[in-house]
Amino acid sequence: MITSALSTLEGAVSDFNHRDLDPSDDDPKRMRAVIDALELEFASMVRRTQQRGEHLVCGNITAASWIARTCGMSVTSAADRLCVGEQLESLTKVATALASGEVGYQSVTALCHLREQLGEKGRLFDEEEMLGFAREYSVSELRKICNYARHVADPDGFFNDAEECFRRRRLHISQMSDGLYAVDGVLDPVAGAAFKTAVDVLAKPKGPEDERTPKQRRADAVGELALHAMEQGTLPRRHSVKPHINLTMTLEGLKGELGVPPADLELSLPISTRTAERIACDCTMSRVLMADSMVIDVGRATRTVSAPTMRALRVRDKGCRFPGCDRQVNWSSPHHIIYWSRGGPGKLPNLVLLCYFHHRLVHEGGWQVIKSGREFRFLPPDRVVMRRARGPGMRWAA
Ligand SMILES: [Zn+2]
Ligand SMILES: [Zn+2]
């Protein structure tokens, strides 16, 4: 019986898999070199099947999709092997270096893709020099070198590829049933770098009382960026009105009276009274008088802090007054020490500038602001005394 080369290999692998484990045999580098050498064989093999047109017999359009289906790979991985197989036909030095374990398969992939991308300008590919880079640099550094080489050799092609990539940008923003927003997207390199830089700066931890995870800090940074842009009043107007968010609630609801419906943000989902109180610290109020669901009167819109008081407050506080906070005046908003909803006046002695994070820490986080003379003290919520609430039909826990 004639044994094929592939059967011999299968036998060897099977023997290897059934060996008695010996820790002194463990040598990941050698193991990887063997796998990479087999990757070379695989790439050459699929290339030969492509040339013989075996994929056409099966009615598939491309060789990559046929290989993907036959070998249980993704189409991208299959296309990758085909590219390597084709390029290595003429890059014999690279093929030898891969077979001998001198360079890894991933590095060879980077070189082969570069050569393929260069197309007619493939003669500019200096095999000896690029192989030298592959020996010297890590895979990720080699990929950068290949990108750079591509740009030098073929600026137009590079531009076209970059434009192709640019078309993939997208951003989805959708509200979920619990009121949270899901955000998912891909940004182009310039917008992405700008976005990351801005978010990273705003997402730095704010001191020992900041218990947020890095993910939460980044999410807050995005909110802070958006609110800042709106509050600066420099965004383009929409229907000749400054962009803003709407909050609708009853006066009783704002005062936190029991049994009163909570506030609605953007006329959709309810928000908590504490959050509504925070928003009321700095907003434009319009009184709308309703009777039997009919609007019978709309009062004049007024700010909870008037423009002259706001100017004086900005001069006095110059930024968030929470100790150690770095947010400047443009990144801070007024807080009513005695809440506006509880009758606190919008006058300088009752106001303090706080940033987005520290304003939230006071309202939702239960911190207390105490004014003593010209200074402000911030007291953490008393964690010892637990408030207990009892709803209808609930008994006190024993
Ligand atoms: Zn406030
Ligand atoms: Zn602050």
Side-chain angles (χ1 to χ4, degrees):
M1 181 177 142
I2 302 164
T3 313
S4 73
L6 207 50
S7 310
T8 312
L9 180 62
E10 281 168 345
V13 171
S14 174
D15 288 348
F16 184 76
N17 285 344
H18 290 96
R19 74 195 183 283
D20 294 327
L21 275 181
D22 178 359
S24 66
D25 249 4
D26 287 346
D27 187 344
K29 190 181 172 187
R30 269 177 72 195
M31 185 72 201
R32 189 72 246 166
V34 171
I35 296 168
D36 282 357
L38 288 175
E39 283 280 12
L40 166 65
E41 291 300 330
F42 182 78
S44 310
M45 190 182 280
V46 292
R47 169 68 178 156
R48 288 195 298 274
T49 60
Q50 179 188 32
Q51 283 173 318
R52 287 199 296 270
E54 284 180 29
H55 55 288
L56 299 174
V57 181
C58 300
N60 281 285
I61 303 162
T62 67
S65 62
W66 178 73
I67 291 159
R69 192 186 302 173
T70 311
C71 305
M73 307 167 77
S74 70
V75 177
T76 319
S77 296
D80 175 74
R81 268 57 177 195
L82 281 169
C83 166
V84 171
E86 183 184 355
Q87 294 301 323
L88 289 189
E89 284 174 356
S90 49
L91 296 176
T92 49
K93 287 173 188 161
V94 176
T96 310
L98 176 60
S100 67
E102 211 182 317
V103 293
Y105 177 74
Q106 284 187 296
S107 300
V108 169
T109 307
L111 299 184
C112 290
H113 281 295
L114 171 63
R115 176 88 165 324
E116 189 187 46
Q117 283 171 338
L118 289 175
E120 290 171 3
K121 296 183 176 174
R123 62 193 151 68
L124 293 172
F125 185 94
D126 186 331
E127 187 179 4
E128 196 72 60
E129 189 186 15
M130 292 311 289
L131 191 54
F133 290 141
R135 286 192 192 101
E136 194 174 339
Y137 293 102
S138 68
V139 176
S140 62
E141 282 169 323
L142 182 68
R143 283 187 186 138
K144 280 185 204 159
I145 292 170
C146 288
N147 269 331
Y148 183 74
R150 167 90 200 284
H151 188 257
V152 171
D154 183 16
D156 290 344
F158 191 90
F159 171 76
N160 290 338
D161 281 3
E163 286 298 285
E164 191 61 41
C165 276
F166 186 64
R167 272 193 276 279
R168 283 167 44 213
R169 73 201 186 281
R170 60 182 169 77
L171 186 68
H172 298 289
I173 305 173
S174 52
Q175 191 169 25
M176 301 185 292
S177 57
D178 53 9
L180 298 176
Y181 280 82
V183 180
D184 167 53
V186 173
L187 300 181
D188 73 83
V190 177
F195 184 64
K196 185 174 185 313
T197 307
V199 167
D200 283 351
V201 168
L202 293 172
K204 289 208 175 87
K206 291 258 203 174
E209 61 284 336
D210 190 349
E211 292 169 340
R212 299 172 297 168
T213 63
K215 284 180 195 172
Q216 291 172 334
R217 282 190 267 113
R218 282 195 292 276
D220 288 353
V222 173
E224 201 178 353
L225 261 182
L227 286 168
H228 174 74
M230 280 207 289
E231 281 160 15
Q232 291 305 293
T234 49
L235 287 176
R237 289 176 170 246
R238 204 169 45 176
H239 311 305
S240 70
V241 177
K242 281 183 191 170
H244 60 279
I245 48 178
N246 279 314
L247 180 72
T248 312
M249 70 185 311
T250 62
L251 217 51
E252 294 79 8
L254 189 55
K255 287 174 181 164
E257 289 179 14
L258 278 178
V260 170
D264 286 348
L265 196 59
E266 291 290 308
L267 294 175
S268 55
L269 289 160
I271 59 165
S272 73
T273 302
R274 288 188 189 203
T275 303
E277 280 174 336
R278 172 164 55 88
I279 294 171
C281 267
D282 178 31
C283 67
T284 302
M285 291 271 179
S286 294
R287 185 181 48 81
V288 180
L289 216 58
M290 312 270 292
D292 297 331
S293 308
M294 294 279 287
V295 175
I296 53 173
D297 184 34
V298 179
R300 204 159 57 88
T302 49
R303 281 204 78 89
T304 44
V305 178
S306 71
T309 307
M310 192 63 201
R311 278 196 293 276
L313 179 65
R314 285 164 159 253
V315 170
R316 188 195 72 187
D317 286 357
K318 298 180 183 67
C320 176
R321 291 295 294 267
F322 199 94
C325 185
D326 64 351
R327 293 298 191 270
Q328 301 287 312
V329 69
N330 285 343
W331 292 86
S332 309
S333 52
H335 165 66
H336 290 63
I337 298 170
I338 300 168
Y339 293 177
W340 182 91
S341 55
R342 298 174 195 177
K347 300 291 177 201
L348 212 48
N350 188 45
L351 296 173
V352 60
L353 278 187
L354 292 177
C355 70
Y356 178 70
F357 173 70
H358 286 125
H359 199 191
R360 204 177 187 285
L361 202 66
V362 169
H363 283 277
E364 284 93 334
W367 280 60
Q368 231 184 323
V369 189
I370 294 172
K371 192 162 187 261
S372 55
R374 292 183 169 198
E375 295 308 309
F376 295 95
R377 290 202 299 140
F378 294 82
L379 301 183
D382 189 350
R383 289 170 199 272
V384 185
V385 179
M386 301 285 283
R387 276 199 215 140
R388 305 169 99 192
R390 187 166 65 159
M394 287 165 64
R395 287 161 174 237
W396 292 114

